[in-house]
Amino acid sequence: MSNSFNNDDKSNQKIRNRVSISLKMHRSFKKMKRSIQKIAETSTSVQPHCVFVENMQDDEKQPPYIFPERLSSLTCQTGFSKDEIRELYRAFKQHCPRGAVTTNDLKPAYAKLFPLGDPAKYTQIVFNTFDKDRDGIVSFGDLLNEIAFISNGDVEEKLCWIFRFYDLNGDGYITRKEMLIIITAIYEMLHNGQTVQRMANRHVDKVFEKMDVDKDGVISQEEFMNSCKNDIVIQNQLAMFDKFW
C-alpha cells in the first residue's frame, strides 16, 4: 500500500514539474511577444529611441508607404492582411523612421516591462533572433516575418521558432550551456538576487530530464518537437498565442 502511495506521489510530482516547466516557457515567450508589441504599437507612452547606422544616407530612408507589389508579397509571406501590414508599418515608421531597429530600441521597452531585474542579456538574445544576418539592424520585413511565425504559425511553426530561439549557434541542437544562458537571462530579467543561478540550474535540469530522451546531453529538434507535441499543457498555451495579438 505504501509503495502505491509513493508511486502516486512521484507521478504527481512529475506532473507538477512538467506544468512548471511549460508555464515558465509560456511566460518567457509571452513576455518576448509583449516586447515586440512595444515596437509595433502606436502608443505615445514609449518614445522612439532609434539608433541608426551612421552610413545610412537620406535617400535610403524607408518610403512613407509600402508599394503595392511589396505589400502583396508581404501578405503572401506572412498571412497578415494588407490593412494589418499598413498599420504595423505606420507604427514602425513612427518609432524608427529610418527603417532600422537596433538593440537600443528594445532596451527601453524591456526596462519598463521588467523594472525589478536586469533585462540586458535577454534583450540581446531576442534581438539576435530577429537579426538573421548579424548586421546589427532589423528591417521592417525581418520584423514582420518573425512576428508572423509567432502569431500566425501553426503548432509546428511555433515550436520550430521556439527551438530556434534556444538553439543559439544554429547547429540543430540545444546544449545545456545554451539553455542555461537563456534561462539565466530570463531569471535575471525577472529577479534581482543571488539565487538566480541556482534557480536557473534547477530549471535547466528539469527541462533536460524531460526532453533529452536519449540522454546524450543535448536536445535535438526532434526530441524538442515530440516532447512539446505530446504535452497537452504546452499545446494549450501555444493555442493561447493566437489570441494574444
Side-chain angles (χ1 to χ4, degrees):
M1 181 70 71
S2 62
N3 287 337
S4 176
F5 282 128
N6 288 336
N7 289 336
D8 287 342
D9 288 342
K10 289 180 180 179
S11 177
N12 290 334
Q13 184 60 42
K14 285 183 179 179
I15 293 173
R16 286 194 294 270
N17 288 342
R18 183 184 68 181
V19 172
S20 176
I21 292 169
S22 57
L23 282 174
K24 287 174 182 175
M25 181 181 295
H26 166 61
R27 284 197 295 266
S28 65
F29 193 47
K30 186 174 180 179
K31 290 177 189 303
M32 186 194 315
K33 292 182 68 176
R34 288 170 63 191
S35 71
I36 298 169
Q37 275 193 312
K38 287 293 182 179
I39 298 176
E41 67 185 1
T42 56
S43 171
T44 58
S45 60
V46 179
Q47 297 301 319
H49 293 277
C50 292
V51 177
F52 307 117
V53 179
E54 291 182 357
N55 61 0
M56 193 177 287
Q57 301 298 321
D58 288 342
D59 59 358
E60 293 177 321
K61 289 182 181 180
Q62 294 288 319
Y65 62 90
I66 303 178
F67 291 106
E69 298 82 1
R70 177 62 172 156
L71 187 59
S72 297
S73 175
L74 289 174
T75 300
C76 293
Q77 289 174 22
T78 65
F80 286 118
S81 69
K82 292 183 178 180
D83 287 340
E84 287 173 329
I85 294 175
R86 289 190 187 100
E87 183 177 351
L88 286 168
Y89 187 73
R90 282 195 295 269
F92 182 82
K93 282 287 294 177
Q94 176 186 348
H95 292 286
C96 299
R98 297 291 294 272
V101 180
T102 74
T103 53
N104 284 353
D105 303 318
L106 293 181
K107 288 176 182 177
Y110 273 102
K112 287 179 176 291
L113 286 171
F114 309 104
L116 300 180
D118 180 5
K121 291 180 183 177
Y122 193 71
T123 301
Q124 189 62 55
I125 292 170
V126 171
F127 184 83
N128 289 345
T129 304
F130 288 84
D131 184 17
K132 295 275 183 44
D133 56 5
R134 297 293 187 267
D135 63 353
I137 60 173
V138 175
S139 69
F140 174 73
D142 293 334
L143 185 64
L144 192 66
N145 281 322
E146 295 299 313
I147 293 174
F149 269 112
I150 297 172
S151 59
N152 294 341
D154 57 23
V155 171
E156 186 101 6
E157 289 171 324
K158 284 184 172 75
L159 290 176
C160 284
W161 196 96
I162 297 172
F163 180 85
R164 181 162 55 85
F165 177 73
Y166 281 91
D167 180 17
L168 294 177
N169 65 2
D171 66 352
Y173 296 93
I174 300 174
T175 65
R176 186 175 291 271
K177 181 179 179 180
E178 288 174 324
M179 179 71 71
L180 188 59
I181 288 172
I182 293 180
I183 297 300
T184 299
I186 292 172
Y187 276 109
E188 286 180 353
M189 180 173 61
L190 300 175
H191 304 279
N192 185 12
Q194 309 225 338
T195 60
V196 165
Q197 198 61 55
R198 188 163 64 250
M199 290 190 297
N201 280 321
R202 284 202 301 263
H203 190 135
V204 171
D205 288 341
K206 290 178 181 179
V207 172
F208 268 78
E209 181 181 353
K210 175 181 175 57
M211 294 189 173
D212 184 14
V213 178
D214 59 8
K215 305 305 177 187
D216 63 349
V218 296
I219 300 173
S220 68
Q221 184 163 347
E222 182 179 2
E223 287 176 323
F224 181 86
M225 301 287 283
N226 289 338
S227 179
C228 292
K229 286 179 182 178
N230 292 328
D231 193 320
I232 189 64
V233 177
I234 293 179
Q235 289 184 32
N236 290 338
Q237 289 167 353
L238 287 174
M240 291 171 59
F241 294 157
D242 297 332
K243 303 175 185 178
F244 187 79
W245 292 86

